[in-house]
Amino acid sequence: MLVDSHAHLAHPYLENNLDFIISSALKGDVDKIVTIGCTIKETKASIKIAEKYEGIYATAGLYPRDSREDSEADLSLEEKLQAIKELSSHLKVVAIGECGLDFSDVLPYEIDRGKKDQFERFERQILLAEETKKPLIIHSRKAKEETINTIKAYGKPIKAVWHCFSETSDIAEKALSLGLILSFTGNITYPKNTELREIVKIVPIEKIMIETDSPYLTPYKAREAKVKINEPRYVKMVAEEIASIKGISFDEVARITSSNASEFYIFA
């Protein structure tokens, strides 16, 4: 059985079909799904989903940027962090995040946050993870060196996963040297991503988790079948690709990555 270690089940793309999406995953090859909180609102929604469905767990975190459509955008960082801290005490909340750094182009619906603000938000959530004794989920886009340097600057080991890892082999080696887990998504199945598949080949399977990042990053075979919205059940395609890349059995990938996720998140 597989663990989808990172999905956004509270996303509007999924809400009208959530019962089917979750049941089709859990009745298939998926044993557990971790649904991610990137805002106070999404964290609360993720907790409600985790309360309703067996095998679903939630996280509590603040994304590097806020959405213009989100009423909590005007809250101070202190108010947001206090809310996330309180929500993280829920029994089915298994991690802090996703959080991190994003220096890519700002999307129309996003509120820009300068580097200083992003660093503070990230660093404070690293501290929150330590305080709550929960692991950290890292988001990094166009900020690979800054992400590595922030983790280094913390000065002690951090139990963390670099979600949707899509960086170079050099960054992979640096992340592994800091004790991080690397999580791979459906983008390893895309024909153009040969370099990323080479990275999967060299990363020890004991340091890998798998995810869908649903509703994003639909695996290539599902795209070919005209699937537009990614779902947790397609995490099987990520596992199959890893098995092919590493020349090991699907069962071995399923067993080890699920064990990695269980040890990382400590499912209750």
Side-chain angles (χ1 to χ4, degrees), residues 205-218:
I205 188 69
E206 292 78 15
K207 290 292 186 178
I208 289 176
M209 293 199 300
I210 57 174
E211 60 170 288
T212 56
D213 203 16
S214 170
Y216 312 109
L217 298 171
T218 307

Side-chain angles (χ1 to χ4, degrees), residues 4 6-14 36 38 42 63 67 98 107 109-110 139 141 163-164 184-190 211-220 222-223 227-235 238:
D4 183 355
H6 192 112
H8 296 271
L9 296 181
H11 195 285
Y13 286 177
L14 307 180
I36 306 299
C38 288
E42 188 180 32
Y63 199 71
S67 170
E98 65 183 278
L107 298 173
Y109 63 83
E110 291 180 328
H139 167 98
R141 186 178 293 141
H163 121 84
C164 190
F184 294 98
T185 69
N187 65 353
I188 67 170
T189 69
Y190 301 166
E211 60 170 288
T212 56
D213 203 16
S214 170
Y216 312 109
L217 298 171
T218 307
Y220 184 70
R223 284 186 172 188
V227 172
K228 294 183 179 180
I229 296 176
N230 198 10
E231 298 178 22
R233 59 181 162 147
Y234 298 128
V235 76
V238 180

Side-chain angles (χ1 to χ4, degrees), residues 39-92:
T39 64
I40 298 168
K41 180 180 177 181
E42 188 180 32
T43 296
K44 289 178 177 178
S46 292
I47 289 172
K48 284 186 178 180
I49 293 168
E51 289 175 334
K52 182 177 179 180
Y53 299 95
E54 196 71 30
I56 310 298
Y57 296 84
T59 76
L62 300 174
Y63 199 71
R65 295 172 180 157
D66 293 308
S67 170
R68 295 185 184 280
E69 301 170 359
D70 203 332
S71 59
E72 69 198 56
D74 294 330
L75 296 177
S76 69
L77 179 58
E78 294 299 330
E79 290 172 314
K80 291 175 185 174
L81 287 168
Q82 183 59 36
I84 291 300
K85 179 180 177 180
E86 291 172 3
L87 291 166
S88 72
S89 66
H90 192 284
L91 286 175
K92 294 201 85 175

